[in-house]
Amino acid sequence: KLGIPAKTKHNEVAPAQHELAPVFDTTNVAVDHNQLTMEIMKKVADKHDLVCLLHEKPFEGINGSGKHNNWSMITDDGVNLLDPGKTPSENIQFLVFLMAVIKAVDEYADLLRISVASAGNDHRLGANEAPPAVVSIFLGDELTEVLKSIENDTYFTSHGAVQMDIGAKVLPHFIKDTTDRNRTSPFAFTGNKFEFRMLGSAASVANPNIVLNTAVAEVLAEFSAALKDVPEEEMESAVHALLKKTIEEHKRIIFNGNGYTDEWVEEAEKRGLYNLVSTPDALPRLIDEKNEKLLTSHHIFTDAELHSRYEIKLDNYVKTLHIEAGTLAEIIQKD
């Protein structure tokens, strides 16, 4: 009735856990729809003398609830800038925007982690139904090979479409998807968009989108500045050089393996990636010089607004833990 377009509705792994997939929309409209959805869920639960738990990890041993933030960039005339087309290795426009996102996520991984930080979500991240607290990007085999060929100046040869073997001869043939089936990745390329999977169920989806949009805008401005004086006949080689340099500097963020293993935590540390396990680990970085500069230079927040958010988020965290500790003490004493 409220005009929130959604298609998938199904039961999830945990008891009384359900999934709803809204239809793609512009960011601010999608954020409003998400807030409304949460509000309706709570109101409907109240009507039936139930409680709607928008809580990332309500009970030990039960799967936590989160959100996936599907994000792409589309021009005013409807062209998806993250659509690789049939031959991604030749699609220069796609590669430029892809590399902008990769560089942005690598440089501002701490801000992305902060955008999903909460006391409840700390329990969910890395708890075998959610990605770990280390931010990395899953690209899939084909795109990873494309980037390798650019970095090494080798010719990219596509492995072509692979037919899915389902063991039955009478069913229709379909092509194996080269993109993501890896549910352990926090930030995965899924065909023509990125999927940021670290959001907690109670969170506003505004925060991650503010960070993503601003970080990518910053990198695109840097790319634009680097290319603006290049004559047209030299543009192709200049873009190639820019892509190559960006891959070399930021390939550490690309990881297509299992994010749940201890080996990955060690490997991430070797690569110099952030592992901000808890909210207090992450939050102080909100007022780091580079992050403050990003958000103030694009006029997203002022210094005062950033510092107030830092204090409010810390205060929220402390109060949440205080309530949980008080509840635990009461259960122990009375039950």
Side-chain angles (χ1 to χ4, degrees), residues 9 36 49 52 71 93 115 123 161-162 184 190 212 217 219 253 258 288 296 303 316:
K9 300 174 185 74
L36 273 170
D49 293 326
C52 168
W71 178 91
Q93 177 175 285
S115 75
H123 294 295
V162 178
T184 71
T190 54
L212 264 175
V219 174
I253 196 83
N258 181 358
D288 272 6
T296 53
D303 271 351
N316 249 332

Side-chain angles (χ1 to χ4, degrees), residues 5 31 33 39 47 56 66 124 126 133 166 180 182 205 226 236 260 278-279 288 310:
V31 170
H33 284 170
E39 193 182 333
K47 252 187 217 168
E56 290 72 32
R124 171 180 162 263
I166 42 176
D180 166 56
N182 178 345
V205 296
E236 199 171 319
Y260 288 157
S278 70
T279 298
D288 272 6
Y310 170 53

Side-chain angles (χ1 to χ4, degrees), residues 98-240:
L98 176 74
M99 284 319 303
V101 177
I102 290 171
K103 179 174 156 83
V105 170
D106 187 29
E107 289 185 345
Y108 297 101
D110 52 346
L111 265 183
L112 280 171
R113 170 68 182 93
I114 289 164
S115 75
V116 298
S118 70
N121 209 25
D122 287 353
H123 294 295
R124 171 180 162 263
L125 292 176
N128 297 327
E129 81 272 343
V134 180
V135 177
S136 65
I137 296 179
F138 178 102
L139 280 185
D141 298 340
E142 187 176 12
L143 283 184
T144 306
E145 289 300 321
V146 170
L147 297 193
K148 268 187 197 158
S149 70
I150 294 171
E151 185 190 359
N152 302 322
D153 287 321
T154 53
Y155 187 72
F156 172 74
T157 47
S158 171
H159 298 297
V162 178
Q163 204 161 294
M164 193 77 171
D165 180 19
I166 42 176
K169 296 286 170 271
V170 292
L171 293 172
H173 299 298
F174 57 95
I175 300 304
K176 193 173 176 183
D177 187 9
T178 58
T179 59
D180 166 56
R181 302 279 13 109
N182 178 345
R183 311 312 284 173
T184 71
S185 176
F187 200 87
F189 185 76
T190 54
N192 59 3
K193 60 185 171 11
F194 276 100
E195 191 171 328
F196 184 40
R197 302 202 182 108
M198 290 172 82
L199 286 65
S201 54
S204 162
V205 296
N207 295 320
N209 286 298
I210 289 168
V211 173
L212 264 175
N213 288 340
T214 313
V216 174
E218 171 68 17
V219 174
L220 287 171
E222 288 169 21
F223 281 7
S224 169
L227 295 169
K228 75 174 193 305
D229 297 326
V230 176
E232 200 175 326
E233 63 275 10
E234 292 167 29
M235 185 57 85
E236 199 171 319
S237 60
V239 169
H240 181 82

Side-chain angles (χ1 to χ4, degrees), residues 319-334:
K319 282 180 175 154
T320 303
L321 258 66
H322 193 82
I323 291 167
E324 287 180 356
T327 308
L328 177 65
E330 193 173 312
I331 289 170
I332 292 167
Q333 285 161 355
K334 292 186 175 175

